[in-house]
Amino acid sequence: MALGIVATGTEAADPPAWAQPTPAFHVAGPIWYVGTKGLASYLIKTPSGAVLIDGTLAQNVVAILANLNRVGVRPRQVRQLLLTHAHFDHAAGLAGLERATGAPLAVGARDAEAVRTGTPPGETDYGVIRFPPARVARAMSDGDVVRLGGLTLTAVATPGHTPGCTSWATRIVDQGRAHDVIFLCSLSVAGNRLVGNRRYPGIVNDYRETFRRLGRVHADIVLPAHPELADVLERGRRAAAGGRDAFVDPTLLQRMVSEARVDFEKELVRQQRATRR
């Protein structure tokens, strides 16, 4: 990877679905999907305002705000912004959402500087894709909480994909039943340099510790930053058609962790062999 390569989100060969608007839909309890076809943004309503998780691409801000309107939330009713991790496809829209909502932003502590500068952490095989810097109101450590209107979201440090990759855990009530929910940060390698990563030398240990940790986590509902990883849109269609508990799948998180661990170890071996050639 050439460290001097710098691109913006609009210059990168992004999948078209990342910027394809899709109507908002209900997930469970107070949770709504308000992102695009290929990038997730989740809204959680409370009596004291709403929480919005992930900003996706900068060009998606208009579509996200339109989806907020569809579910009866005005921009200034968003009281808290959260981020899973500091890559352009999840963080580039944050600056625009901060302007539109006036809400404070909380991010994983080890990604805070990346968000403030608009420069992603670590080294990848696709270069450096910058994004608009955003203001960070809170740099969250593992176990820190965000509270709003009876809702509690707990930061779960899940580093690897980025140093500050943070999943957000909460408990909701849907149709009279309680469910543990995790808004899952990315677990994939996705171009990360695992060998000789000078800007993130602990990346391998972080991935492995995240897999171990998530292996002990229970979640009834898993909502990832990339919706296709948990069939979020398809589950939404089933729910809209009357499918009860379409999003409830207590085995899903462990399946995702297991698959991600296998893919990671394969990619690590591939990169190690490549460096010896």
Side-chain angles (χ1 to χ4, degrees):
M1 180 192 73
L3 292 179
I5 295 175
V6 177
T8 67
T10 56
E11 292 168 344
D14 305 335
W18 285 7
Q20 183 176 336
T22 191
F25 58 85
H26 184 235
V27 174
I31 304 171
W32 294 77
Y33 186 93
V34 294
T36 61
K37 183 177 180 181
L39 291 174
S41 185
Y42 298 102
L43 182 78
I44 312 174
K45 294 184 179 182
T46 86
S48 300
V51 176
L52 184 63
I53 303 176
D54 278 357
T56 78
L57 302 174
Q59 59 265 42
N60 290 344
V61 170
V62 171
I64 291 173
L65 294 176
N67 271 338
L68 296 188
N69 183 63
R70 287 189 179 98
V71 300
V73 174
R74 298 188 303 275
R76 292 286 165 169
Q77 290 178 305
V78 175
R79 304 298 189 192
Q80 179 71 61
L81 299 172
L82 302 180
L83 176 66
T84 55
H85 63 286
H87 281 158
F88 79 99
D89 47 334
H90 309 283
L94 292 174
L97 289 169
E98 283 183 328
R99 290 191 294 271
T101 66
L105 169 65
V107 308
R110 294 170 67 193
D111 275 6
E113 186 62 20
V115 174
R116 293 186 183 110
T117 62
T119 303
E123 299 177 18
T124 67
D125 62 11
Y126 53 79
V128 178
I129 304 181
R130 291 181 175 150
F131 51 86
R135 297 183 303 275
V136 176
R138 291 185 66 186
M140 306 287 286
S141 298
D142 183 60
D144 285 350
V145 299
V146 169
R147 293 188 175 92
L148 181 71
L151 173 76
T152 299
L153 284 150
T154 302
V156 181
T158 47
H161 193 76
T162 67
C165 205
T166 299
S167 301
W168 300 92
T170 191
R171 174 166 283 196
I172 65 165
V173 175
D174 182 62
Q175 303 179 80
R177 290 186 292 169
H179 296 296
D180 292 320
V181 180
I182 189 165
F183 298 90
L184 187 65
C185 192
S186 294
L187 302 178
S188 63
V189 174
N192 271 323
R193 177 178 282 185
L194 302 178
V195 179
N197 193 321
R198 292 163 292 177
R199 296 184 61 217
Y200 189 3
I203 188 170
V204 170
N205 288 338
D206 277 359
Y207 266 111
R208 285 174 171 162
E209 179 55 32
T210 286
F211 297 144
R212 283 193 293 269
R213 181 172 196 196
L214 286 175
R216 301 189 296 268
V217 171
H218 169 78
D220 301 300
I221 297 174
V222 181
L223 300 173
H226 288 274
E228 71 276 6
L229 299 178
D231 297 323
V232 173
L233 272 64
E234 175 57 30
R235 291 175 189 268
R237 283 189 283 269
R238 296 206 308 266
R244 182 179 171 86
D245 293 340
F247 285 92
V248 177
D249 188 345
T251 68
L252 177 58
L253 177 61
Q254 298 313 315
R255 296 201 310 270
M256 293 176 70
V257 171
S258 178
E259 291 171 6
R261 180 188 285 115
V262 169
D263 290 344
F264 165 81
E265 295 295 347
K266 287 181 179 178
E267 177 60 15
L268 177 59
V269 169
R270 187 196 71 79
Q271 291 191 26
Q272 290 170 333
R273 287 174 177 168
T275 61
R276 292 195 291 264
R277 290 175 185 164

